[in-house]
Structure formats: C-alpha cells, structure tokens
Amino acid sequence: MLLDTMPLEMQQAVYTYLPLRDRLSVWATCRRMRAALTVGASRLWQTVNVHHLARQVARLGRSGRTAGAHAAAGVDQHAATPRRTDPAGDALYMLLPHIGHYIVTCTAGDCLFGDRHLAMLARFSPRLASLDIRGTTVTHHGLIAFLQTLHARNQTLHTVLLGNVSDLTDAVVQAIANGCYQGQAAEPRLTGHMDVAGKPQPAAILQSSAAGPPPPPPPPLRRQPQSVGHVRPESFKPCAAKSTCSGIRSLDLSHTTYSKLTSASLHTIARSCLSLSLTHLSIRGCHAITNDSIQAIARSCTRLESLDCSGVHLITDESVQTLLAERCTTLTTLNVSYCWRLSDAAFEGPAVPLAGHGNSAQGTSLVILHLDACLRLSDAVVAHLLRLPRLGRVTMSDCASVSEAAKQQLRHHGISSA
C-alpha cells in the first residue's frame, strides 16, 4: 500500500516516528502529504523548537524545495521574509498558518528570534501554554504587545522562561503578574496584536465609562512597540479576577550579565493573582533584588516549591529565615549560592513547631539546598542543617570556612554533600 493512499490516521501514525527534518521534507513533497501533517495532527506539532525549524527550513531552501512548498501552499514566495537574513522568520511564515493552532510548547533559544517572530507566534498560536525565549533578542516592547494579544483572547500561559532576555524590565513583569495590560483609567487604551510586518492590526479603543460629552475621535494608530513601551510602570493596575486570571506556574527571570529588574517586580508578583499559582521562580543574577521583596514572595506565594536566588547579593539571613518559616510545607528546592551576606544564622530556627503551622517545624519540606560560594558559612551551619528533617542534598562548594569533616558529618546522616 502506497503511503499517500493510506487512511489519514495511519499516515499520521507513521509520521510520528519521523524526525523533524524528514517531516519537513514530507511537508514540501505535495499537498496531500502536507494535509496529512496538518489536518488533525496535533500530536506532531504540540512542541516546536524555532531554532531547529529554522535550520531545517534553511536546509530545504538550499535544496531548492522551499519555493515549491510556498507555491503549493498558495504563498507568494516574493512576499515572504528573506530566507538568507531571517531563517527563523521564514520557518514561522511557512509553517505557523498551518500548525500554529496545534502548538502548546514553543522553545526559541536563538538570538535571531525577535519581536516580529514573537508577534507571529501570538497571532497563530491560540493554544500556546509554555514559552521559552531565553537568550533571544526580544525587547520589552514586543513582550508587552505579546501579552496584550494573549489577554485579548483570554489565553493563559503556564510556563514563561525569559532568562537572559537583555531588555526584560519591571514593566514586563508587571504585565505578566497582572495577567493583562491595563493603562490609566482616564486615557483610551489600545488593544490588539501585530501582524507579520510588525504593524498593529485594527483594534478597539476602550474609553472611560464616565458620563459626559461624546469623546473626541480616536488618535491615529501608531506603531505598537512605541505606544506600549512608553507606558509608565505605575499605570498597571492589579487584575480584578484575582482567583482565575493567571495560571503561570513557572517563571524564569534570571540573568547572567546585567539585569534591569528591581524589587518592584517581586512586589508586583506578591500582590497579584500570580502569587496564587506560582510554583517555580528563578531570579538568578538579579542584583537589585532586596530582602523586603524576597520576604513578600515568601508570604504571598502559597504554592512555591522551587526558588533560585543565586547571585542575588543583597539578600541576608532574614530572607532565608522567612522563606523557611513561611513556606515550610511547600518549598522543596532553594538555591542561595553566591549570596555572600548569608551566615550560619540564616538557618537557625526554632526546635519546636512554628505557630500557625500546626505540627510543621521550620523548613520541614526542604529537600535540596544549594549554598555554593557562601563565604560566611562555617562548620556551625551543619548543626542547623541537620534539624531539617527531609533534607537530602546540600552543595557547599567554594565555602572556604566549611571543612571536609563537616561535610562528612552530613553524609553520615544520609545527606548528600558536595
């Protein structure tokens, strides 16, 4: 039996075993095979890596098959994005109109992925739930426009990974935390999304509901990145649907060079509906974060399971004490490596159960603890760590004052130590 004569379900079952490059080769063969790859084939395209797509589409272009794929799909190849300068844009332009409604998880670990590509993803992916754009060149203008588009159709992300996005600012975190983009109440607000050329689509102008004379005609539409990027952070208002608006569970705001985030970002998260769903948070390398914002997260994020604060130099013992006390029944992984102000006192806790937590003592849920390069720790910290009942792994490399004998004592009690 020939492949193109098989029932659609049988063809899709065969295609699930093909790697991406072979799947794209089938895509460029004929319309019938392309239909088998797109019609009801949600399993084939639930997870998409833009970097891999760009490489494989570029390979097809070198073999002369990309033009045929455009022609078979009814797309003017001269209107498409130039492939030589924008392979990621070419891949998205060719595939997203057909497979975008299947995409649930998108990874774009490519420095050539920018605002235009993010706008295309927002336009064609109504089921997108997980977004990984770590290390890309997306700006805060594009991020806020992307969040606007998702909110306009009540779409919720569960995982947002923005590590090493150089233009990540407090305004973006506030838009994420509030679940929607809300401007000042007295001014009209522009909502909508950008098309593949980076221009805003027609959108509704929301006016104030106060009684009075008819409002003046709306101003002409400007380019979306400029109009969104200049909104002051204080113009964001907390979302009214605090219990249902945001479902983000994993948020990565880390940075390895220079982070623009301040404590205001964490305070916004703590006050928003995001605090009710967040389970994993990474602020690694955010040097401007201070004690008060960490303590606000500890008190507000009731489901927090993993927190990465490595390289946040301003936090002190009080932050760790609050985390272990407030999140004693949920927090399982804590990374405070390279936090040079921490001392042995950070892990001093009461030997009796804490008030308001029933029979739960401090830090009872903590399983993994990273203390690398915490230079003020000494052998005395071992006695405090042994009081954590579920602790199974501790890393203390480059802790000059912690001896090998102290680490051996931890291993003797069944705690892996490095």
Side-chain angles (χ1 to χ4, degrees), residues 295 297-307 319-334 349-350 352-368 387-391:
Q295 292 172 345
I297 289 292
R299 296 187 178 101
S300 301
C301 295
T302 57
R303 299 181 181 179
L304 191 63
E305 299 175 5
S306 175
L307 179 62
S319 294
V320 177
Q321 291 172 354
T322 304
L323 283 168
L324 295 180
E326 298 290 340
R327 300 275 65 83
C328 62
T329 58
T330 60
L331 190 65
T332 60
T333 303
L334 178 62
V352 297
L354 296 172
H357 293 280
N359 295 324
S360 299
Q362 183 175 16
T364 54
S365 62
L366 196 63
V367 178
I368 301 175
R387 303 169 70 181
L388 303 179
R390 296 187 58 191
L391 190 63

Side-chain angles (χ1 to χ4, degrees), residues 183-246:
Q184 299 181 28
E187 298 179 356
R189 179 166 62 91
L190 190 65
T191 62
H193 59 260
M194 295 187 295
D195 63 7
V196 295
K199 298 180 180 179
Q201 297 282 2
I205 302 295
L206 303 183
Q207 301 287 350
S208 174
S209 60
L221 293 178
R222 296 180 296 173
R223 289 186 64 86
Q224 186 80 343
Q226 296 177 0
S227 62
V228 172
H230 292 285
V231 176
R232 296 188 302 273
E234 58 269 19
S235 66
F236 290 93
K237 305 288 192 299
C239 179
K242 190 172 175 96
S243 61
T244 60
C245 178
S246 179

